[in-house]
Amino acid sequence: MFIYRPSDHSAWCLLLSLLLLPVWEAGSGQVRYSVPEEAKHGTFVGRIAQDLGLELAELVPRLFRLASKGRGDLLEVNLQNGILFVNSRIDREELCGRSAECSLHLEVIVDRPLQVFHVEVEVRDINDNAPVFSVSEQKLSIPESRLLDSRFPLEGAADADVGENAMLAYRLSPNEFFILDTINKKDKGKFPVLVLRKLLDREENPQFQLLLTATDGGKPELTGSVTLLVVVLDANDNAPVFDRSVYEVKVRENSANQTLVIWLNASDADEGTNKEMIYSFSSLVAPSVRRKFLMDNTTGEITVNDLIDFEDSNTYEIRVDVTDKGSPPMVGHCTVLVEILDENDNSPQVFVTSLALPVPEDAQVGTVIALISVSDRDSGANGQVTCSLSPHVPFRLVSTFKNYYSLVLDSALDRESVPSYGVVVTARDGGSPPLSATASVWVEVADVNDNAPAFAQPEHTVFVRENNAPGRHICTLSARDPDAQENARVSYSLVERRVGERALSSYVSVHAESGRVFALQPLDHEELELLQFQVSARDAGVPPLGSNVTLQVFVLDENDNAPALLPGGAGELVPRSLGAGHVVAKVRAVDADSGYNAWLSYELLQPAAAAAAGGARGPFRVGLYTGEISTTRALDEADAPRQRLLVLVKDHGEPALTATATVLLSLVESGLAPRASSRAPEGAAGAPTALLDVNVYLIVAICAVSSLLVLTLLLYVALRCAAPPGEGAGAGAAGKPALVCASAVGSWSCSQQRRQRVCSGEGPPKTDLMAFSPSLPPSSVPDMEVEQQSVGGDQYRKVC
């Protein structure tokens, strides 16, 4: 403890410093000052802000405030200079009664962050109360027969001050019959006794009037006085006498009524009626004491008559008179000091203040959640309180001062695991059996954005048929965010990428709130088989958190492409000398679809002439899956010199799409060189046929005019048509190996590769083998004239 003493030796300055200069100490979180009672308004107490280590500029922003139990307006703090001063009159006697120690306990609370300081201000006593007697006149009746040195107890004065200021000394006005003596009472100071020093004679002096003065030990001294009226009685010579002048007894609080406190016993040396005694409370006993205890006038028993509460008063002083029945009666006196023993009859009280709620889930360990104070009106072990928390909570109690605790965070919080805690503070005293009390604090955990939205799986795969309607719903993506409110509000967006030459957002869109994914335009399997992209989910927290999911959209093929005929052949002139099984021409076709939708079959439609002749078998047939036109029998002179074949090409889709090709063959003698031509019909059957006939006649005429020129042209055309671009010189030619595919109709080899785009959000387009057609035999195939017509649409192609 540090005490400041001025160096000035002047007595006045020393007295002034003792009265006004505060004493403070800092330790265990406490600042201590002292101030005299009755100090004027504005009296300096201490530089509280400086002593607590607080900056003056932060007092107002941090909501600096005082809190105290009881009279909170006695002291105040100037927020401009941080000085604690007296705000209103402090009366120590009113505040603490006769307690030896008197202090004001203040709680200094500042926010941002929350801090609590405990300040104790000792109120020093000054000698502001003079000794006071309960009556203005005390009357004593003393028989004239009393012996010298007879003692007559008097009622002492009371001083509301404490310490030296309450130490009383008595003096008696000068007289020749009585002197004054004092008796020390346990913890009660002294009380005066009148001692007879000269025998009384009622006939000479029937009464005396004396002045009893009480002086306290303060500086300056204060006094009080009472008039003593001594009446001299005649007759009864011996007064009753107690075996002791002061009796000390102990009684437990809450003792039942009629419980014996003490059994007094007095004796009288007289005989007969003068020896008979009556016990009674002295007239000086306060009415409140008379209600608590009952006196038996005959036996001298004092019993409990009302509730005895240690917390109301822990001691009682009972003055008892015993009076004999002589004439005049004589009185004996004694004092009974009753000490009340404390019982554990008061449960602790728990007070929760300054709650800092709700608590963010990212709060640091050690964060103060609430301030808790406890009290118990009992004393000793019965008033010693310990606090504990309900188990399995991430908090702990930290003792900041006697009976003051802080509820602080002990471990990390996670609102998604536990959104709130019911914290029960249990206060238990040290009595036997112990008493306890509880206070509940409901701690809500405030959410912070510490969880990103999460999809159920990192990739989603969906299948969509091509030619979908624009705006069709593809799928719904959902991400879950365990946070709350805005931190859990998820919005969805596309991770923009390029798909080939176009932006991803031109193909698909995602609804920001529902996560529904829509196709913005019809998808084409032949253009785009796989659309792979990412969707981002982002919450509305600050800062926002997000995650991505990969969506793979496979475009399923529909049979929306009819077979397309390809150019090919080796000539249109067929020698009549050919036998059965010779290949004279070949129809080639591809389908842009895939799978069964691209599996083609060939069928030779029955010529109209053959049908008219009764359905006779024609000289030619077409391979079902190869498209090769071959002879079914040996040709003869009965066969028409010009053969017009109509070939139907059909895929295996549902429904099937078809195309037709017209092949014109001229049967010539073996010496003539072969020549082929093909043309496609333009819609009607009659017009294309007539056009083809004219072409044939023109070619024959030209050949007749100049056979050399015709042969040269035919050789040139045959060489160009026999080797289509990309096919190579033959089956054994160098190039890419053919892919052999197994099917229900035998082994196939891929004679053509078609590049397809497989587009995703990442990387260049990929190629794949999609369409298959039968491979050609290595032998040369006569030229053909092919007319292609698509049944499913307006497609038209002429193959030369």
Side-chain angles (χ1 to χ4, degrees):
M1 183 175 185
F2 174 79
I3 301 178
Y4 173 83
R5 298 185 183 277
S7 59
D8 190 358
H9 296 286
S10 170
W12 171 252
C13 292
L14 177 60
L15 177 61
L16 184 63
S17 66
L18 290 175
L19 292 176
L20 298 179
L21 190 63
V23 179
W24 68 276
E25 66 173 344
S28 302
Q30 179 186 6
V31 177
R32 182 180 178 89
Y33 300 99
S34 68
V35 66
E37 67 173 330
E38 305 295 340
K40 295 181 179 180
H41 172 76
T43 298
F44 174 86
V45 178
R47 299 185 183 276
I48 189 170
Q50 177 180 344
D51 296 338
L52 293 177
L54 300 175
E55 297 293 336
L56 295 181
E58 65 181 6
L59 297 184
V60 174
R62 292 187 64 185
L63 302 179
F64 181 99
R65 59 192 184 275
L66 288 182
S68 66
K69 293 184 179 179
R71 299 291 298 275
D73 58 345
L74 298 178
L75 300 173
E76 190 57 63
V77 176
N78 187 332
L79 298 181
Q80 303 301 321
N81 54 25
I83 292 178
L84 180 67
F85 63 92
V86 176
N87 188 44
S88 59
R89 174 178 173 270
I90 303 176
D91 187 349
R92 187 185 186 282
E93 287 71 33
E94 178 184 350
L95 190 65
C96 301
R98 294 189 54 85
S99 175
E101 295 181 0
C102 183
S103 298
L104 292 173
H105 297 279
L106 307 178
E107 286 183 1
V108 178
I109 302 175
V110 293
D111 291 333
R112 305 171 187 169
L114 179 64
Q115 289 182 279
V116 181
F117 304 92
H118 297 279
V119 178
E120 184 175 1
V121 180
E122 178 188 6
V123 180
R124 302 196 305 271
D125 182 54
I126 64 173
N127 193 25
D128 59 338
N129 292 281
V132 177
F133 290 89
S134 62
V135 293
S136 60
E137 182 181 86
Q138 292 188 30
K139 184 177 181 180
L140 288 83
S141 296
I142 303 177
E144 63 178 347
S145 59
R146 293 300 294 267
L147 302 176
L148 294 178
D149 295 327
S150 295
R151 303 170 69 86
F152 307 95
L154 302 175
E155 180 191 9
D159 196 323
D161 295 323
V162 296
E164 291 292 333
N165 297 328
M167 299 298 293
L168 302 182
Y170 298 90
R171 67 177 182 271
L172 190 64
S173 59
N175 68 92
E176 60 179 331
F177 291 95
F178 299 94
I179 63 173
L180 195 63
D181 193 8
T182 56
I183 297 176
N184 290 327
K185 295 185 293 184
K186 182 181 181 181
D187 299 327
K188 293 293 182 178
K190 301 177 180 180
F191 66 90
V193 176
L194 199 62
V195 181
L196 182 64
R197 300 300 295 172
K198 183 179 179 181
L199 293 176
L200 299 175
D201 186 359
R202 182 180 180 277
E203 286 68 31
E204 290 183 4
N205 298 296
Q207 67 178 21
F208 300 91
Q209 190 168 6
L210 306 174
L211 183 64
L212 177 64
T213 302
T215 303
D216 63 22
K219 294 182 180 181
E221 298 176 345
L222 299 178
T223 62
S225 59
V226 64
T227 300
L228 300 179
L229 181 60
V230 180
V231 177
V232 181
L233 301 177
D234 193 21
N236 197 9
D237 294 331
N238 294 286
V241 177
F242 290 97
D243 53 1
R244 281 188 292 176
S245 60
V246 177
Y247 294 89
E248 296 180 2
V249 294
K250 297 181 179 180
V251 177
R252 292 191 175 277
E253 70 170 326
N254 302 320
S255 296
N257 289 347
Q258 307 305 318
T259 299
L260 178 64
V261 177
I262 191 172
W263 189 351
L264 298 177
N265 185 26
S267 61
D268 195 316
D270 294 327
E271 296 291 338
T273 304
N274 293 332
K275 191 175 184 178
E276 296 178 3
M277 295 173 291
I278 298 175
Y279 297 90
S280 64
F281 288 132
S282 171
S283 60
L284 303 177
V285 176
S288 60
V289 179
R290 292 176 181 269
R291 289 192 298 270
K292 296 289 183 182
F293 302 97
L294 184 65
M295 170 68 76
D296 190 308
N297 295 336
T298 302
T299 64
E301 292 180 350
I302 299 178
T303 57
V304 175
N305 190 50
D306 198 359
L307 176 64
I308 304 297
D309 191 353
F310 174 87
E311 287 68 44
D312 291 340
S313 178
N314 56 8
T315 60
Y316 292 93
E317 181 179 333
I318 307 174
R319 295 190 177 185
V320 179
D321 293 341
V322 58
T323 307
D324 61 20
K325 293 182 180 181
S327 181
M330 300 189 72
V331 181
H333 310 278
C334 77
T335 300
V336 179
L337 299 179
V338 181
E339 180 183 354
I340 307 302
L341 300 180
D342 183 44
E343 292 284 334
N344 192 25
D345 59 342
N346 291 280
S347 297
Q349 293 180 308
V350 185
F351 305 94
V352 180
T353 58
S354 300
L355 298 176
L357 299 176
V359 182
E361 62 176 321
D362 61 348
Q364 297 294 323
V365 173
T367 300
V368 178
I369 308 302
L371 303 179
I372 299 171
S373 60
V374 296
S375 63
D376 195 315
R377 295 184 61 199
D378 294 324
S379 63
N382 296 331
Q384 294 178 357
V385 181
T386 57
C387 289
S388 61
L389 290 180
S390 54
H392 310 302
V393 293
F395 307 99
R396 61 187 174 93
L397 288 175
V398 176
S399 178
T400 58
F401 189 57
K402 55 183 179 181
N403 294 337
Y404 288 89
Y405 298 88
S406 294
L407 180 65
V408 301
L409 185 62
D410 191 42
S411 60
L413 300 175
D414 185 7
R415 189 205 66 84
E416 289 70 40
S417 299
V418 182
S420 60
Y421 295 89
V423 181
V424 179
V425 181
T426 302
R428 182 173 283 101
D429 61 28
S432 180
L435 300 178
S436 62
T438 61
S440 297
V441 181
W442 192 256
V443 181
E444 293 285 347
V445 181
D447 183 56
V448 297
N449 193 26
D450 57 346
N451 290 279
F455 292 93
Q457 55 192 36
E459 290 188 357
H460 287 269
T461 301
V462 294
F463 298 89
V464 179
R465 291 193 176 276
E466 65 174 333
N467 303 320
N468 57 282
R472 178 189 171 184
H473 173 236
I474 296 177
C475 67
T476 299
L477 299 176
S478 178
R480 180 181 176 274
D481 194 320
D483 292 325
Q485 298 179 352
E486 291 299 313
N487 296 331
R489 186 162 60 84
V490 180
S491 60
Y492 302 88
S493 63
L494 288 177
V495 179
E496 187 62 60
R497 294 290 178 88
R498 301 293 297 179
V499 180
E501 300 298 328
R502 301 170 60 182
L504 173 66
S505 56
S506 65
Y507 286 95
V508 292
S509 68
V510 60
H511 192 270
E513 295 180 359
S514 65
R516 292 165 61 89
V517 181
F518 301 92
L520 299 181
Q521 64 181 13
L523 300 177
D524 189 355
H525 173 81
E526 288 71 41
E527 176 189 349
L528 191 66
E529 294 182 7
L530 172 62
L531 181 61
Q532 181 172 303
F533 57 92
Q534 287 186 327
V535 175
S536 173
R538 221 168 228 335
D539 58 31
V542 178
L545 301 177
S547 63
N548 296 343
V549 65
T550 300
L551 184 61
Q552 293 180 333
V553 180
F554 285 91
V555 182
L556 301 180
D557 183 54
E558 293 281 344
N559 192 26
D560 57 345
N561 290 281
L565 296 172
L566 298 177
E572 69 170 1
L573 300 179
V574 180
R576 288 183 176 272
S577 61
L578 292 178
H582 285 272
V583 176
V584 297
K586 182 174 183 177
V587 177
R588 299 181 180 182
V590 295
D591 196 311
D593 294 322
S594 62
Y596 275 92
N597 296 328
W599 187 13
L600 304 181
S601 61
Y602 301 85
E603 179 182 351
L604 184 63
L605 298 180
Q606 188 71 17
R617 182 182 180 188
F620 301 100
R621 62 181 177 83
V622 64
L624 180 61
Y625 297 109
T626 63
E628 294 177 344
I629 300 175
S630 58
T631 56
T632 60
R633 57 180 173 79
L635 301 177
D636 53 26
E637 295 298 330
D639 293 322
R642 298 183 65 254
Q643 297 286 333
R644 184 174 183 272
L645 305 179
L646 186 61
V647 178
L648 177 67
V649 184
K650 180 171 64 173
D651 60 28
H652 284 70
E654 291 292 340
L657 299 180
T658 62
T660 59
T662 301
V663 180
L664 297 177
L665 298 176
S666 297
L667 303 183
V668 297
E669 297 301 328
S670 300
L672 296 179
R675 178 179 172 272
S677 67
S678 64
R679 62 186 64 184
E682 294 181 358
T689 304
L691 181 59
L692 291 173
D693 292 343
V694 171
N695 290 339
V696 173
Y697 291 139
L698 287 176
I699 294 173
V700 173
I702 292 173
C703 291
V705 174
S706 180
S707 60
L708 180 61
L709 180 62
V710 171
L711 290 176
T712 303
L713 290 176
L714 288 177
L715 290 174
Y716 175 75
V717 172
L719 291 175
R720 291 294 304 269
C721 294
E727 194 172 26
K736 297 183 179 179
L739 177 64
V740 178
C741 305
S743 68
V745 294
S747 296
W748 294 49
S749 62
C750 297
S751 62
Q752 181 184 4
Q753 293 184 344
R754 177 167 59 91
R755 295 178 62 87
Q756 294 288 337
R757 288 182 175 269
V758 180
C759 298
S760 65
E762 300 177 357
K766 302 178 181 179
T767 61
D768 197 2
L769 297 176
M770 298 300 297
F772 304 96
S773 60
S775 59
L776 295 174
S779 61
S780 61
V781 180
D783 290 345
M784 65 177 179
E785 186 175 299
V786 180
E787 291 182 354
Q788 171 192 338
Q789 182 175 5
S790 174
V791 177
D794 298 330
Q795 182 180 5
Y796 176 82
R797 176 180 296 176
K798 181 175 182 180
V799 181
C800 300

